[in-house]
Amino acid sequence: MEKKSTRVAYGESLVKLGAENEKVVVLDADLAQATMTNYFKTAYPNRFYDCGIAEANMVDMAAGMSTMGLIPFCSTFAVFAGRSYDQIRNGVCYPHFNVKFGFSHAGVTLGEDGGSHQAIEDLALMRVLPGMTVFVPSDANECEQCVRAAAEINGPVYIRTARLPSPVYDPRPFEVGKGTVIRDGKDCVIFTCGIMLEHTLEAVEILKNAGLDPALVSFHTLKPFDKQLAREYAAKCGRVFTVEEHSVIGGLGDAVADAICGTGSFTFRKIGINDLFGQSGKPAALLKEYGLTGAQIADTVMHG
């Protein structure tokens, strides 16, 4: 199966979008070769702005551009969202300006750069901001759908992308704020987002071979969140698990918990980064360290 990182798909999608809409401009904070906005820079040099290592300035520039009718996409590493959080909050979200944030290298699969650069809190930060739409695409095709949707939304949007190449699945129907049922089942449900889809699919195969009938639901949108779908599968399956490459605080697990709390009788377990920072290592080793491989997820579902 073809593999492509969502950060590469993000860069390619911006080029396609730029050809269709001349209002699209791209800003980067000295990381265009890594966030893949260099593709847009090459295609449309007069609509690309390298702001240097000045993320807060980049966000303020984008906010101003949005008031002139442009559609700015800001890009840097997800961990640097913290550097510009005041500007994102007060300069973009508070006035509800039309700025998009495509932040890459999220999660522990960033790898050897270590815990200082592995964003495990970015979804929590972005979900809490009023008016912010939050996307976590699971593959390259879904990333393009998120980029296109972001350009159509009137208001701030966050798109979380990853460094690690992941499988490219057949395109699936896409609607902002709606989850995707990957597999129906009745014994338990696994809710996931982003590139953890690959590993939850592995877990599903292990569970099937063990005689279970697991459901799998992927969410490309964490805000607005598909509460109805989460409640439907929690009620149907009774045993609920969430899997994310993010802290168990403030991300997908909490979105699901908020949706299903008080709606029925079920067990609930969050699988993710348990209030820890990341560390340096190969992506596969880090996934194993934090219990996020397919085999470990399946074991947690069976015995957790």
Side-chain angles (χ1 to χ4, degrees):
M1 178 179 288
E2 177 191 2
K3 284 195 171 187
K4 179 188 291 187
S5 68
T6 49
R7 67 168 175 145
V8 170
Y10 173 75
E12 293 173 345
S13 300
L14 286 177
V15 173
K16 294 178 184 178
L17 187 63
E20 300 166 10
N21 191 337
E22 63 182 12
K23 293 182 179 180
V24 172
V25 295
V26 173
L27 301 85
D28 206 296
D30 197 42
L31 287 169
Q33 296 291 330
T35 64
M36 311 313 293
T37 59
N38 58 317
Y39 295 162
F40 192 94
K41 178 182 180 179
T42 299
Y44 313 106
N46 294 329
R47 290 154 60 189
F48 178 85
Y49 304 86
D50 191 333
C51 303
I53 307 173
E55 293 83 0
N57 290 346
M58 175 179 69
V59 175
D60 282 342
M61 288 171 61
M65 290 176 178
S66 73
T67 68
M68 305 302 292
L70 298 174
I71 306 174
F73 281 76
C74 290
S75 300
T76 185
F77 286 2
V79 75
F80 296 144
R83 287 185 177 178
S84 53
Y85 196 68
D86 179 52
Q87 286 71 29
I88 294 172
R89 182 195 189 276
N90 287 326
V92 174
C93 289
Y94 187 64
H96 199 71
F97 283 161
N98 193 32
V99 179
K100 322 302 173 184
F101 304 98
F103 289 179
S104 71
H105 292 62
V108 295
T109 53
L110 168 56
E112 289 86 348
D113 287 4
S116 64
H117 282 57
Q118 294 165 358
I120 46 85
E121 71 288 333
D122 54 305
L123 294 176
L125 290 172
M126 295 302 182
R127 282 184 62 238
V128 77
L129 289 171
M132 178 74 82
T133 297
V134 178
F135 288 136
V136 191
S138 63
D139 73 342
N141 287 326
E142 206 163 71
C143 186
E144 180 173 353
Q145 292 170 315
C146 289
V147 169
R148 291 185 176 279
E152 295 296 322
I153 293 169
N154 182 23
V157 178
Y158 178 60
I159 306 171
R160 184 193 217 227
T161 64
R163 178 187 191 183
L164 186 69
S166 54
V168 180
Y169 303 103
D170 292 336
R172 298 181 293 268
F174 180 94
E175 183 179 349
V176 175
K178 296 296 182 183
T180 304
V181 178
I182 305 299
R183 185 185 190 276
D184 197 9
K186 65 179 185 302
D187 292 336
C188 60
V189 59
I190 302 172
F191 296 123
T192 194
C193 64
I195 64 170
M196 290 309 300
L197 178 59
E198 174 184 4
H199 306 284
T200 52
L201 281 168
E202 292 176 5
V204 163
E205 288 304 309
I206 295 170
L207 294 170
K208 285 167 56 182
N209 291 334
L212 295 176
D213 184 20
L216 176 59
V217 179
S218 178
F219 293 95
H220 50 67
T221 311
L222 262 60
K223 186 181 179 186
F225 190 67
D226 195 346
K227 293 184 177 182
Q228 181 178 352
L229 186 62
R231 290 168 181 167
E232 175 187 339
Y233 271 86
K236 178 179 181 179
C237 298
R239 301 181 67 229
V240 179
F241 299 85
T242 60
V243 178
E244 59 192 314
E245 192 193 358
H246 184 272
S247 171
V248 293
I249 302 170
L252 171 67
D254 280 0
V256 172
D258 177 64
I260 67 176
C261 183
T263 64
S265 178
F266 38 74
T267 61
F268 176 60
R269 172 82 179 266
K270 292 188 284 188
I271 303 172
I273 314 300
N274 289 304
D275 202 21
L276 298 166
F277 285 108
Q279 55 190 300
S280 181
K282 297 293 184 183
L286 290 168
L287 287 172
K288 186 175 182 179
E289 174 70 18
Y290 294 102
L292 292 171
T293 67
Q296 289 169 310
I297 294 166
D299 185 69
T300 299
V301 171
M302 285 188 286
H303 305 111

